[in-house]
Amino acid sequence: MSGPGYAVVIPTVGRPSLARVLEVLLDAPPEAAPEEIVVADDRRPGSHGPLPGADHARVRVLRTGGGGPAAARQAGWHSCRSEWIAFLDDDVAPPADWPARLCSDLAALPAEVAGSQGRITVPRPEGRAPTDAERATVALEDARWITADMAYRRSALEAVGGFDTRFPRAYREDTDLALRMIDAGFVLVGGDRECVHPLREGERRLSLTAQRGNADNALMRRVHGPGWRRRTGEHPGGLRAHAVTTGVLLAAILSWLTGRRAAAGVLGAAWTARTALFALRRLAPGPWTAEEVADMALTSALVPPLACWHRLTGEVRHAGAGPGPAVRAVLFDRDGTLVEDVPYNGDPDKVRPMPTAARAVALARRAGLAVGVVSNQSGVARGLLSAAQVEAVNRRVDELLGPFDLWRVCPHGEDDGCHCRKPEPGMVLSAAAELGVLPCECSLVGDIGADTDAASAAGARGILVPTAKTREDETEAAAETAPDLESAVLRLLAGAPR
């Protein structure tokens, strides 16, 4: 490879264009090919069927269950080990030389550079001006740090905690991450590679659903302060004007209901004038088709109250929001991680905490993180332990280090074909569900490769704390390591959004 190693993460809801993106990556020459290709399948549970182009041995599919693009990207980079993580959207059209140009962009970047953005170009419709909905896509050409084509160092993602999963839409999650990168002292640069983003065809009245983004703007203000738009180079939003228009409309309705017909008439005329001017400003670039004029008339009346409503709901939902840990739960392996590894231990008196274990668990708990234990106990399947003995040892661990918020134990053997035994992700997924968090909001800390592999398979963040029993190849393969448990938890807390 001509540049540093990189992985590609593509969140998807199953668009047919995914196959085109994957084809470019799979056909890349060996010197420019990605080390890992992860498709984060963010279709909701119950949505089945093959993903276009993803049935290839080099493509790893990670189910993220409809948590949104921030959660899908978070799970995606958690599952990768490469030095750089390149994020692509499933509806862009990278040219055949995109992998080689990415390698060229990343080569020899200084350590303070944490991210490289590709250029986005949007083709214009032939023979006419873009519609209002199409102009929203054209605006992507000038958007800064959007993850339609954005590469980040994995170490930088670790340092700031990655994506904030409180952003549920593909709208502000990339801007939030970029601002936190800059706040942490990193530099973001533009690259020379280019991707085409096709116009969204057949979408009308997109401006109505787009108003949901006002709730995300409320979160941006809470996290980054009132000047966040200025820092990103954006123009002030139209919320103040929408609030005035909505206020005039509500006053007109109230005046009518209370019998003040003259005042209602004046206010209604003012609302009509404001709405007409708003519609004309949106129509000015064209096209002046009957369909577009009708859409602008309708949506210009509905956008102001919708914008205000979604902003209000966002302010209420995020009233106490602020910088918070990107990881909301820490899951610990038991033997060799929390306590000394006594093979097939069924005796509570032999339980000895590992150095710094008590401080690590207390540190996570004080930070507001949920804490749990996920443990393979194949001694039960082998007949070397009883379930009661395992439970007795677990109670002793709870007495010394807990109480833990949950326990997950797999009693199966290697050949039982279960989905809970690490490196399978079953216990991680089950623990996340019970704790009410997304798997990508969990971290699994353990002492062997099966622990970090289970985290990777679930889209959780895995940290290896090597011991004398950890194989050298497991340490080399781990994306993140820490010298002890306390250091591992401190790594997670250091990655809190600032």
Side-chain angles (χ1 to χ4, degrees):
M1 181 175 292
S2 60
Y6 74 96
V8 178
V9 173
I10 310 168
T12 187
V13 289
R15 291 187 179 101
S17 53
L18 172 65
R20 178 186 58 207
V21 181
L22 291 173
E23 182 180 5
V24 170
L25 302 176
L26 294 170
D27 289 346
E31 67 275 10
E35 295 176 331
E36 305 169 87
I37 303 173
V38 175
V39 173
D41 181 358
D42 203 44
R43 294 177 295 182
R44 294 190 178 279
S47 299
H48 299 290
L51 289 171
D55 55 342
H56 191 284
R58 289 176 54 201
V59 177
R60 186 167 73 251
V61 176
L62 185 66
R63 283 193 170 272
T64 52
R73 293 188 183 101
Q74 187 80 337
W77 77 262
H78 280 170
S79 73
C80 296
R81 293 172 171 80
S82 299
E83 179 183 354
W84 284 87
I85 313 294
F87 298 98
L88 282 175
D89 282 354
D90 66 352
D91 55 353
V92 297
D97 65 347
W98 183 90
R101 295 179 70 176
L102 172 67
C103 290
S104 178
D105 283 342
L106 301 183
L109 284 178
E112 66 269 17
V113 175
S116 168
Q117 182 183 11
R119 290 180 289 122
I120 299 296
T121 59
V122 181
R124 275 39 171 191
E126 294 184 8
R128 61 169 176 82
T131 65
D132 179 72
E134 290 167 342
R135 287 195 295 274
T137 308
V138 171
L140 296 177
E141 292 185 339
D142 298 320
R144 300 178 67 190
W145 320 131
I146 58 171
T147 42
D149 181 356
M150 186 76 192
Y152 280 110
R153 290 187 193 270
R154 194 186 196 284
S155 57
L157 291 168
E158 294 167 7
V160 303
F163 293 88
D164 189 334
T165 54
R166 291 175 296 182
F167 290 94
R169 282 165 288 274
Y171 184 51
R172 293 297 186 192
E173 82 290 353
D174 41 19
T175 304
D176 164 73
L177 175 58
L179 290 180
R180 286 188 283 112
M181 287 281 184
I182 294 168
D183 288 344
F186 293 113
V187 176
L188 307 180
V189 299
D192 289 329
R193 66 191 184 279
E194 181 178 306
C195 270
V196 175
H197 194 303
L199 281 172
R200 296 187 176 101
E201 297 179 359
E203 291 193 76
R204 295 176 56 193
R205 301 168 189 172
L206 185 65
S207 57
L208 299 182
T209 56
Q211 299 313 309
R212 296 173 183 169
N214 283 282
D216 301 324
N217 289 343
L219 180 55
M220 287 292 292
R221 186 178 185 278
R222 294 286 181 181
V223 173
H224 298 287
W228 66 269
R229 285 184 185 273
R230 183 176 62 255
R231 295 181 60 197
T232 61
E234 287 190 26
H235 297 295
L239 186 64
R240 290 184 179 180
H242 293 333
V244 172
T245 301
T246 303
V248 171
L249 175 61
L250 292 176
I253 293 172
L254 181 62
S255 295
W256 179 269
L257 293 176
T258 55
R260 292 177 292 172
R261 303 299 170 85
V266 172
L267 290 166
W271 174 81
T272 302
R274 290 186 64 85
T275 302
L277 287 173
F278 180 42
L280 287 171
R281 283 198 301 271
R282 298 172 68 204
L283 274 168
W288 286 80
T289 63
E291 185 177 76
E292 182 75 355
V293 171
D295 283 350
M296 292 301 98
L298 175 64
T299 58
S300 294
L302 296 177
V303 162
L306 279 175
C308 294
W309 170 253
H310 286 297
R311 181 57 179 260
L312 179 61
T313 59
E315 292 290 349
V316 172
R317 184 183 309 127
H318 303 301
V327 170
R328 298 173 60 191
V330 185
L331 307 176
F332 296 96
D333 170 58
R334 195 190 79 177
D335 301 321
T337 301
L338 284 174
V339 298
E340 293 179 2
D341 187 5
V342 178
Y344 307 116
N345 182 29
D347 184 356
D349 292 336
K350 294 182 179 179
V351 174
R352 300 286 185 273
M354 294 289 282
T356 79
R359 294 201 301 271
V361 175
L363 182 62
R365 193 178 286 115
R366 284 198 304 272
L369 305 182
V371 290
V373 183
V374 291
S375 178
N376 287 350
Q377 293 297 325
S378 64
V380 176
R382 299 169 188 264
L384 302 174
L385 289 170
S386 69
Q389 287 177 305
V390 172
E391 177 61 26
V393 170
N394 291 346
R395 284 199 301 269
R396 181 58 177 160
V397 176
D398 251 340
E399 291 170 1
L400 294 173
L401 300 173
F404 289 92
D405 297 304
L406 62 76
W407 283 80
R408 287 291 183 270
V409 174
C410 172
H412 304 111
E414 292 181 7
D415 300 325
D416 289 346
C418 73
H419 295 291
C420 52
R421 178 178 170 81
K422 296 176 289 184
E424 294 295 321
M427 287 193 288
V428 179
L429 298 176
S430 173
E434 181 170 328
L435 293 172
V437 300
L438 296 169
C440 68
E441 296 173 324
C442 297
S443 177
L444 173 53
V445 182
D447 67 314
I448 61 173
D451 297 316
T452 53
D453 287 346
S456 176
R461 184 172 174 180
I463 299 182
L464 186 74
V465 179
T467 67
K469 294 186 178 182
T470 308
R471 299 196 312 266
E472 184 177 346
D473 64 298
E474 293 175 323
T475 303
E476 291 176 351
E480 290 187 69
T481 62
D484 53 54
L485 278 187
E486 186 177 23
S487 298
V489 173
L490 285 170
R491 278 184 72 91
L492 298 174
L493 297 181
R498 292 169 172 78

